[in-house]
């Protein structure tokens, strides 16, 4: 039996940084915040590198860290937006963030933005990261059943929102 | 709607989701990223990675020393009579000298706060118009988690470097140095006396650490806050102070999880307490308030 090689975080960073920024961008909605999220995720892993023994699972830990950091970022934003009106301009997503996307994609993304954070995470991990229900359950720290129900509710809500959008144009 | 039609709709929605997520994600290319920041993070990660084998080597020496100590203690236990004869034969001065060295750590703890007090005044436009802002120290604020953790007893400020790009979310303490200094005091870090203490607070906005009174009447203590965090006093009593966060550049709960344990605080539910003292920090409410007690 051979010991697992140590996790090379620098190599993990080199190979997965961009992909993780893209994942974070889908969760937090602006690139600067996404970069903050990913940087914090890597440095968090770095601080806890003593506990990292399985290099094969490192990407999973990283993805989980990115999701958790994104959730923290959104929670922080909500607090700031609710109570600190003065700081809002700095943290609001850029006004032109969707400008160069096709209208069809914008419509879907606007609908996704209306979902609760947990449902949005499930959809992003399922349809962007192409993760299985079991992998999503691991990443979010919830049961497979919860993943399935959250995904189902999210899809139903999306369908309803988008049908409404097609009929009255107000998504 | 019949099942096959519903299935088709779901497939279509899935397809549209994939397409939309892909389109949005691919808006970011490698050229859009902050490469200065990337380089610094990569350097920090790789430098630590190279250090890892050395750390293991030292850990091995430590383990060997511990094992040798155990063998020695066991040997003394088995040959106690002989050892006592040797000890009895020693002059008394040798035992006195060994016991007098132990308290020395206490005096080294107080400077930890003065390093935290070196904070430049905040010039954040978000509250420039709200009147005078008082800057309080932020213990550990100027640290960066990218800085390789020192394995020596270098003072904290010497081990701290700032992360580029003004990313305040990356501020974390160099906990190895902080912990050795602060825990030795059995008190939260001291607040520099030249800065406003809790009794001197008014309704202005303050930036940085939250002052704590010291029940024993000695030096005032402080609760570390992330760099540039501002707050206002909302209530105050004889042994407590309630503040409301007015600007929060980072996840304060994550910051505290990284910073406070190294200063001797321990998590208490969603709040914090300082063992052996009455210092406590309440959980942050959904209105961004919390209370410190002493």
């Amino acid at each position: 039996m051979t010991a697992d090689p140590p996790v090379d975080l620098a190599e993990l960073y080199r190979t997965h940084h961009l992909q993780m920024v893209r994942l974070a961008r889908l969760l937090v909605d602006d690139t600067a915040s996404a970069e903050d999220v990913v940087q914090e995720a890597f440095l968090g892993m770095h601080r806890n590198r003593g506990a990292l023994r399985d290099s094969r699972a490192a990407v999973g830990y990283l993805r989980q860290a990115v999701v958790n950091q994104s959730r923290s970022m959104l929670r922080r934003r909500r607090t700031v937006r609710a109570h600190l009106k003065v700081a809002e301009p700095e943290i609001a997503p850029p006004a032109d963030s969707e400008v160069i996307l096709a209208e069809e994609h914008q419509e879907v993304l606007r609908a996704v933005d209306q979902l609760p954070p947990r449902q949005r995470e499930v959809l992003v991990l399922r349809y962007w990261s192409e993760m299985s229900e079991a992998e999503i359950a691991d990443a979010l720290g919830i049961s497979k059943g919860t993943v399935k129900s959250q995904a189902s509710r999210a899809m139903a809500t999306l369908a309803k929102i988008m049908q409404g959008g097609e009929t009255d144009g107000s998504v | 709607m019949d099942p096959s039609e519903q299935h088709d709709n779901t497939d279509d929605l899935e397809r549209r989701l994939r397409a939309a997520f892909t389109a949005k994600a691919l808006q970011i290319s490698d050229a859009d990223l902050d490469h200065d920041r990337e380089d610094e993070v990569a350097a920090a990660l790789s430098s630590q990675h190279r250090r890892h084998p050395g750390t293991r080597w030292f850990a091995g020496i430590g383990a060997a020393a511990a094992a040798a100590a155990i063998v020695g203690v066991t040997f003394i236990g088995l040959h106690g009579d002989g050892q006592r004869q040797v000890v009895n034969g020693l002059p008394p001065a040798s035992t006195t000298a060994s016991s007098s060295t132990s308290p020395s750590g206490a005096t080294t703890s107080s400077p930890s706060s003065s390093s935290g007090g070196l904070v430049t005044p905040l010039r954040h436009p978000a509250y420039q118009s709200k009147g005078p802002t008082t800057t309080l120290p932020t213990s550990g604020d100027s640290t960066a988690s990218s800085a390789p953790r020192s394995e020596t007893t270098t003072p904290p400020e010497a081990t701290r470097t700032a992360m580029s790009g003004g990313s305040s979310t990356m501020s974390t303490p160099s906990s190895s140095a902080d912990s050795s200094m602060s825990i030795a005091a059995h008190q939260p870090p001291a607040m520099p006396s030249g800065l406003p203490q809790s009794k001197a607070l008014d309704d202005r906005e303050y930036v940085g650490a939250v002052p704590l009174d010291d029940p024993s009447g000695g030096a005032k203590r402080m609760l570390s806050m992330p760099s540039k965090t501002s707050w206002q006093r909302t209530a105050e009593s004889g042994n407590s102070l309630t503040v409301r966060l007015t600007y929060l550049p980072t996840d304060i709960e994550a910051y505290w999880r990284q910073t406070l344990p190294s200063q001797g605080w321990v998590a208490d539910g969603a709040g914090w307490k300082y063992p052996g003292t009455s210092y406590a920090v309440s959980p942050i409410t959904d209105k961004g308030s919390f209370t410190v007690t002493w």
Side-chain angles (χ1 to χ4, degrees):
Chain A
M1 185 175 161
T2 58
D4 285 324
V7 176
D8 186 343
L9 287 177
E11 175 65 11
L12 193 67
Y13 185 80
R14 193 183 65 76
T15 54
H16 287 81
H17 176 230
L18 177 59
Q19 194 72 354
M20 290 299 155
V21 171
R22 286 170 169 166
L23 169 63
R25 167 82 193 280
L26 291 174
L27 296 171
V28 301
D29 213 36
D30 72 282
T31 306
S33 297
E35 287 187 277
D36 284 348
V37 159
V38 173
Q39 183 172 325
E40 185 59 30
F42 270 101
L43 292 175
M45 285 181 74
H46 175 56
R47 284 190 291 273
N48 298 312
R49 63 195 179 282
L52 280 175
R53 284 286 173 264
D54 185 356
S55 56
R56 291 160 298 187
V59 177
Y61 293 140
L62 177 60
R63 193 180 287 119
Q64 188 172 4
V66 168
V67 172
N68 288 338
Q69 289 291 338
S70 298
R71 197 180 305 146
S72 295
M73 172 80 74
L74 292 176
R75 190 170 57 232
R76 194 161 68 238
R77 272 189 194 167
R78 279 198 300 276
T79 302
V80 172
R81 280 183 177 152
H83 305 291
L84 314 174
K85 297 298 183 191
V86 290
E88 189 167 356
E90 187 188 347
I91 57 168
D96 60 347
S97 61
E98 309 291 349
V99 165
I100 59 174
L101 284 177
E103 177 57 34
E104 180 201 2
H105 300 326
Q106 289 187 46
E107 183 191 5
V108 176
L109 294 170
R110 278 197 298 268
V112 170
D113 281 346
Q114 296 179 47
L115 297 174
R118 178 72 83 192
Q119 292 182 14
R120 202 162 56 228
E121 289 167 5
V122 168
L123 291 187
V124 168
L125 293 176
R126 180 75 190 90
Y127 297 110
W128 161 247
S129 298
E130 299 290 349
M131 292 166 68
S132 68
E133 284 174 353
E135 290 170 325
I136 296 171
D138 276 350
L140 299 182
I142 57 180
S143 69
K144 267 176 68 176
T146 304
V147 172
K148 190 174 277 192
S149 65
Q150 293 284 305
S152 173
R153 278 183 210 154
M155 295 299 274
T157 306
L158 274 186
K160 195 179 293 182
I161 292 171
M162 294 177 66
Q163 279 169 4
E166 281 163 11
T167 53
D168 61 22
S170 60
V171 176
Chain B
M1 186 184 296
D2 66 51
S4 64
E5 188 181 351
Q6 191 171 3
H7 187 73
D8 287 346
N9 286 344
T10 303
D11 283 351
D12 181 57
L13 190 50
E14 289 180 357
R15 181 193 58 75
R16 293 179 68 182
L17 271 173
R18 281 194 175 90
F21 285 152
T22 302
K24 184 171 181 179
L26 295 184
Q27 279 186 316
I28 303 176
S29 69
D30 194 47
D32 298 320
L33 302 180
D34 180 345
H35 289 287
D36 288 341
R37 171 200 278 202
E38 243 184 282
D39 292 344
E40 290 197 21
V41 176
L45 294 175
S46 56
S47 66
Q48 289 287 341
H49 185 70
R50 281 197 298 273
R51 179 181 294 210
H52 196 63
T55 308
R56 278 186 172 175
W57 193 75
F58 282 112
I61 290 177
I70 290 169
V71 169
V73 168
T74 307
F75 182 81
I76 288 170
L78 292 173
H79 302 81
D81 290 344
Q83 293 300 318
R84 261 193 297 278
Q85 288 169 9
V86 173
V87 170
N88 289 340
L90 291 172
S94 62
T95 54
T96 307
S98 63
S99 62
S100 65
T101 57
S102 57
S104 62
T107 56
T108 62
S109 60
S110 55
S112 65
S113 60
S114 60
S115 64
L118 301 175
V119 174
T120 53
L122 181 60
R123 290 289 179 265
H124 195 279
Y127 46 88
Q128 283 289 301
S129 61
K130 296 188 74 178
T133 299
T134 301
T135 299
L136 300 182
T138 54
S139 175
D141 285 346
S142 59
T143 65
S145 50
S146 66
R149 179 174 294 185
S150 173
E151 302 293 349
T152 69
T153 54
T154 308
E157 58 269 37
T159 66
R160 297 170 179 178
T161 56
M163 178 69 75
S164 73
S167 172
S168 56
T169 61
M170 300 320 303
S171 295
T172 54
S174 174
S175 59
S176 61
D178 283 349
S179 62
S180 63
M181 299 182 75
S182 301
I183 291 175
H186 301 298
Q187 295 280 355
M191 184 83 154
S193 58
L195 291 167
Q197 310 296 312
S198 63
K199 296 293 186 234
L201 299 177
D202 54 27
D203 293 335
R204 284 180 298 171
E205 232 171 19
Y206 295 89
V207 178
V210 172
L212 309 166
D213 267 5
D214 190 332
S216 66
K220 303 299 190 234
R221 302 289 161 180
M222 67 180 186
L223 172 67
S224 298
M225 300 286 280
S227 177
K228 299 183 182 177
T229 300
S230 64
W231 49 269
Q232 283 180 303
R233 179 193 66 174
T234 56
E236 192 172 4
S237 72
N239 69 337
S240 72
L241 169 67
T242 301
V243 304
R244 183 176 66 86
L245 297 167
T246 53
Y247 179 72
L248 193 54
T250 187
D251 183 345
I252 190 169
E253 286 157 334
Y255 172 86
W256 278 346
R257 280 197 299 274
Q258 291 162 3
T259 306
L260 296 189
S262 68
Q263 297 174 354
W265 293 87
V266 297
D268 181 23
W272 294 86
K273 65 180 179 183
Y274 207 98
T277 71
S278 52
Y279 291 116
V281 182
S282 76
I284 298 178
T285 68
D286 59 0
K287 297 190 186 312
S289 291
F290 65 91
T291 299
V292 293
T293 50
W294 52 81

